[in-house]
Amino acid sequence: METLFEHAGGQEALHRFIDLFYGSVLADPLLKPLFGEGKPHHVAHLTAFTAETFGGPDTFTREMGGFLGLIAAHRGWKITEEQRRRFVDLYMAAADKAGLPGDEPFRQALREHVEFGSQVARQNSHAETDDQLHPLREVPKWSWPDS
């Protein structure tokens, strides 16, 4: 069965998508404080994370600090529910702008992916102890709905 990574158009399509998304995040007054003035590695890291999650290369885990690095990056940020929802909305809007496939199964998987990931990030951003972190400790493998 085709992976979400392949269906999305591979590395190039995901990079285009994440680059557009990140541009919208940096232009958003609610989210910009979480991302600073723009760190070039954010696009590369989120592209690699998304690719790996969707069945592409494991570059994020092998070369970019993996999931434990992602946990550390979110700790202490105290992401609000309003910020989390805006993140999801901008992510889905960027998928449209980037021309990612619009078929319902893919879009459902994309939305479930960002909803879940943003919930994990929000929880981890509020954790004051390791026991309060979300139990996920590795890059999740996402697939088609009902597969």
Side-chain angles (χ1 to χ4, degrees):
M1 179 176 206
E2 181 181 45
T3 66
L4 292 169
F5 175 77
E6 293 163 336
H7 192 74
Q11 194 73 26
E12 185 178 315
L14 288 178
H15 185 272
R16 182 177 62 252
F17 161 50
I18 297 301
D19 191 47
L20 286 167
F21 167 67
Y22 190 60
S24 68
V25 164
L26 291 179
D28 187 275
L30 185 62
L31 294 179
K32 186 174 180 176
L34 298 175
F35 291 86
E37 293 302 315
K39 297 176 183 165
H41 72 272
H42 279 139
V43 172
H45 279 216
L46 188 53
T47 299
F49 175 79
T50 304
E52 186 170 334
T53 299
F54 284 0
D58 65 351
T59 305
F60 184 79
T61 295
R62 285 184 301 101
E63 299 175 13
M64 297 180 164
F67 203 79
L68 295 180
L70 190 60
I71 291 171
H74 289 109
R75 288 201 71 175
W77 282 103
K78 309 275 190 230
I79 298 167
T80 68
E81 179 59 19
E82 183 182 15
Q83 288 170 319
R84 188 199 71 76
R85 284 192 318 268
R86 178 76 55 81
F87 185 93
V88 170
D89 290 345
L90 292 178
Y91 190 87
M92 296 307 293
D96 291 336
K97 290 178 190 166
L100 290 187
D103 57 281
E104 183 57 33
F106 178 76
R107 288 305 175 105
Q108 180 181 341
L110 190 65
R111 177 167 288 281
E112 289 173 357
H113 171 262
V114 70
E115 288 282 356
F116 177 76
S118 64
Q119 290 285 1
V120 171
R122 183 172 185 270
Q123 179 177 338
N124 290 344
S125 79
H126 287 268
E128 295 179 7
T129 68
D130 287 352
D131 290 342
Q132 295 172 340
L133 291 169
H134 189 280
L136 188 63
R137 293 293 184 273
E138 61 186 34
V139 174
K141 303 303 182 201
W142 220 259
S143 62
W144 295 96
D146 303 315
S147 63

